[in-house]
Amino acid sequence: MPRGIRACLATALVLALSACTGAESSGSGPSPDPSPPIPSTISIDAPGAGTVAGQVPLPQGTFPYAVNETGTIVGHFQDANNVLHGFIRSPEGIMVAFDAPGAGIGAFQGTQGFAINALGEVVGRSYDAGYVQHGMLRASDGTITTFDVPGAGTGADQGTLATNIDTAGAIAGTYLDGNDVVHTFLRAPDGVLTPVDAPGAGTGAFQGTAVCGVDCLNSQGAMVGVYTDANNVNHAFLRASDGTLTTFDAPGAGAGAGQGTFAIGINLAGVIEGLYLDSNNVYHGFVRAADGTMTVIDVPSAGTGPSLGTLPSSINSLGAITGNYLDANNVTHGFQRDQYGTITTFDVPAAGTASDRGTTPASNNDSNVITGWYTDASGLYHGFLRTE
């Protein structure tokens, strides 16, 4: 599968009770607060999460994906039988597991939560007993509805995946058709579905158009994502609320198969964050202002070899960006770039320090609360919550 589509779909897969201190800072922007609070980090382990390290193809453990403005977190966990379950965690720390109706109960089947809006409405997907994907909406009262986009395939790993929900209840996501071509959809609050395909998107298997997850749909109806062309090169797209679609590439993005530009999030001001893979297969982050001006984001300690570098994952309404970077030893670390351009790096204290271990932030909110997951020294996955 091309790396671009895989990156966005893996938002779905794809991604300690002591103080967490920033490892380093860089950037030229001034800090508005000379004495910022000391961040703290706690681990999040869902009751019932499996404890086998290194499980494939999907690992056991706890995976928070998104945090809303109230501090409520949504994600999924994989149990000891490798069944997936969604969970929602209140600001007080109360965790509730949920399963979509019709979700399978076999290994690597079940329910995943991917995004949550300010009202506590959750979207995600379920895998049925045939490994077909279905879009999922969990209302704030806990009622769960599943849906399928017309044209979605009905074979294993085909179907519908919901990845974003705005404050009005509009949902964005992707679907794989019967030929494994990827398409994006927008579902209005009344259930009306609109397909979205970027011009230039390929029509081969695992090519096409994919909206990424968590905050790729803002409350004004603007959407961002990535499309993979016929040569398997990735390009970013912006779909305005009126349906106008603009494509763009980051300067320095590679033009080989699997390389290119990925838009990962957009805030209310129209600021887009994302990443690109250069011609040497190194990752770099970027932030794109509403006027189209682009700034590269490279964490100073990020590795410069193939498959290493800086990978932003989320942007809040103030313009603060969180994500992860891989160092020269392939260890993953978290970072936050504030709206002034200052970068702070951090590690969950219990995160492993060997290759393929470390800290992976997934989402941040306007209070600079960050959630995501980390891999401990044994390779087991745990969620985390970082607060200021």
Side-chain angles (χ1 to χ4, degrees):
M1 183 185 299
R3 199 180 308 211
I5 296 300
R6 187 167 61 237
C8 278
L9 295 183
T11 301
L13 303 172
V14 147
L15 190 64
L17 296 172
S18 55
C20 180
T21 57
E24 62 182 275
S25 295
S26 68
S28 57
S31 174
D33 184 355
S35 301
I38 298 174
S40 63
T41 302
I42 61 170
S43 290
I44 299 174
D45 288 302
T51 58
V52 176
Q55 174 71 53
V56 292
L58 294 177
Q60 293 185 2
T62 302
F63 301 85
Y65 280 102
V67 57
N68 70 7
E69 296 313 313
T70 72
T72 304
I73 294 172
V74 69
H76 84 268
F77 66 92
Q78 188 163 304
D79 69 22
N81 295 314
N82 296 316
V83 181
L84 304 167
H85 309 270
F87 76 82
I88 189 166
R89 181 187 187 273
S90 74
E92 297 76 28
I94 300 171
M95 297 186 72
V96 176
F98 60 87
D99 295 293
I105 56 174
F108 312 118
Q109 299 170 356
T111 304
Q112 294 174 294
F114 292 140
I116 184 169
N117 65 14
L119 302 177
E121 297 168 323
V122 170
V123 293
R125 71 171 162 197
S126 67
Y127 274 108
D128 66 21
Y131 293 95
V132 181
Q133 304 177 82
H134 306 273
M136 180 207 68
L137 168 62
R138 182 184 188 271
S140 56
D141 65 1
T143 304
I144 298 177
T145 304
T146 60
F147 63 92
D148 297 293
V149 175
T154 57
D157 294 319
Q158 296 175 348
T160 303
L161 162 64
T163 57
N164 298 264
I165 183 167
D166 70 11
T167 53
I171 298 170
T174 62
Y175 66 97
L176 274 74
D177 66 23
N179 296 312
D180 289 324
V181 181
V182 183
H183 309 268
T184 286
F185 70 86
L186 180 64
R187 183 181 188 267
D190 62 3
V192 174
L193 288 153
T194 301
V196 177
D197 290 296
T203 57
F206 306 112
Q207 296 173 350
T209 305
V211 59
C212 293
V214 182
D215 53 10
C216 287
L217 175 69
N218 71 17
S219 61
Q220 295 176 339
M223 176 196 302
V224 295
V226 60
Y227 72 93
T228 302
D229 67 23
N231 296 313
N232 293 321
V233 182
N234 304 296
H235 312 270
F237 75 85
L238 164 64
R239 182 185 187 272
S241 56
D242 64 0
T244 303
L245 204 147
T246 303
T247 64
F248 63 92
D249 295 293
Q259 298 172 350
T261 305
F262 311 77
I264 305 296
I266 182 170
N267 68 9
L268 278 173
V271 179
I272 298 170
E273 52 89 14
L275 57 91
Y276 66 92
L277 196 63
D278 69 20
S279 58
N280 296 313
N281 293 314
V282 180
Y283 286 102
H284 309 267
F286 71 82
V287 57
R288 181 182 188 268
D291 64 3
T293 303
M294 297 184 73
T295 302
V296 175
I297 302 172
D298 284 311
V299 176
S301 296
T304 58
S307 300
L308 305 177
T310 302
L311 297 89
S313 59
S314 183
I315 184 169
N316 69 17
S317 67
L318 303 176
I321 293 169
T322 194
N324 72 83
Y325 70 96
L326 291 97
D327 68 21
N329 297 312
N330 198 39
V331 181
T332 304
H333 310 270
F335 79 87
Q336 178 164 305
R337 180 186 188 270
D338 69 18
Q339 60 267 42
Y340 304 97
T342 299
I343 295 174
T344 301
T345 66
F346 62 92
D347 295 291
V348 174
T353 58
S355 177
D356 294 320
R357 305 286 189 264
T359 302
T360 304
S363 177
N364 63 334
N365 69 14
D366 289 349
S367 300
N368 290 320
V369 172
I370 299 174
T371 194
W373 54 86
Y374 70 93
T375 316
D376 66 22
S378 73
L380 182 64
Y381 285 80
H382 310 265
F384 75 86
L385 172 65
R386 183 179 191 264
T387 57
E388 294 185 353

